[in-house]
Amino acid sequence: GLADGCRAMDVPVVGGNVSLYNDSATGPVPPTPTLAMLGVRHGYDAPDSAVTGEGTLVLVGGHDETLGGSEYLAQFDGSDVYPDVDDSTVAAVRSAANHDATLAVHDVSDGGLAVTLAEMVNEDAGVDADVPSIGALFSEAPGRAVVETTAPDALREATDVPVVDLGEATTDGVLSLTVASEMVDYQYEDVRDARDVIQRELD
């Protein structure tokens, strides 16, 4: 059935995985087929995932402090219920990426906001963000994205989910985070070196 549908729509499946017999600390995981698909949208220039340094940073989908399934929780040998996916937030992320005032957009996934913001920093542009808690910083709750925009109010009006302020994109290449009144700064070189750990280990 999948093959017939893909042929009819001329859309390739570029990867996938079917997990039928997985267990976690909380019990059996339901059988989960996952497909990666690729399509082309004509006449659309997708925004970059790195900040430009020219806009305001917002979180589409709002903060979440649940840590189920997160890398942060795994580091402490913890377990919790995985967060649910809200279809309305997925649609809101898509709308945000299409919005005229959007300069950059990056999904919140592995590592939560901490990794998302670090991956948005580049040599010429940085991030100055304020996050309410450690939970909010590392939650991997799905269906959310960080957006750099020049019109945050217009973006709020265009979506049906919470859009909360995170801070500003900067022109100094620094990742600056304030978490529950504690502040940390990372220069671009430090962030770049942290990103390169996986590649160095593979080499």
Side-chain angles (χ1 to χ4, degrees), residues 74-192:
Q75 292 298 316
F76 297 97
D77 296 323
S79 63
D80 201 353
V81 177
Y82 285 80
D84 292 329
V85 179
D86 185 339
D87 291 342
S88 65
T89 61
V90 176
V93 169
R94 184 172 59 246
S95 296
N98 292 333
H99 199 270
D100 291 340
T102 295
L103 302 176
V105 60
H106 194 306
D107 66 306
V108 178
S109 54
D110 294 351
L113 275 176
V115 171
T116 297
L117 294 172
E119 290 180 343
M120 296 183 81
V121 171
N122 58 74
E123 191 171 8
D124 301 316
V127 164
D128 185 1
D130 194 332
V131 181
S133 67
I134 290 291
L137 184 64
F138 289 103
S139 173
E140 297 178 16
R144 301 179 300 144
V146 174
V147 175
E148 182 190 12
T149 176
T150 57
D153 290 337
L155 183 58
R156 287 187 182 90
E157 293 176 2
T159 62
D160 296 326
V161 301
V163 177
V164 300
D165 292 329
L166 279 179
E168 300 292 332
T170 65
T171 56
D172 57 9
V174 175
L175 173 61
S176 179
L177 292 175
T178 301
V179 184
S181 77
E182 297 289 333
M183 177 179 284
V184 293
D185 288 326
Y186 294 96
Q187 301 296 318
Y188 169 70
E189 292 76 14
D190 298 326
V191 175
R192 180 196 59 204

Side-chain angles (χ1 to χ4, degrees), residues 2 12-18 33-38:
L2 285 170
V13 172
V14 297
N17 181 60
V18 180
T34 302
L35 297 175
M37 302 184 72
L38 183 66

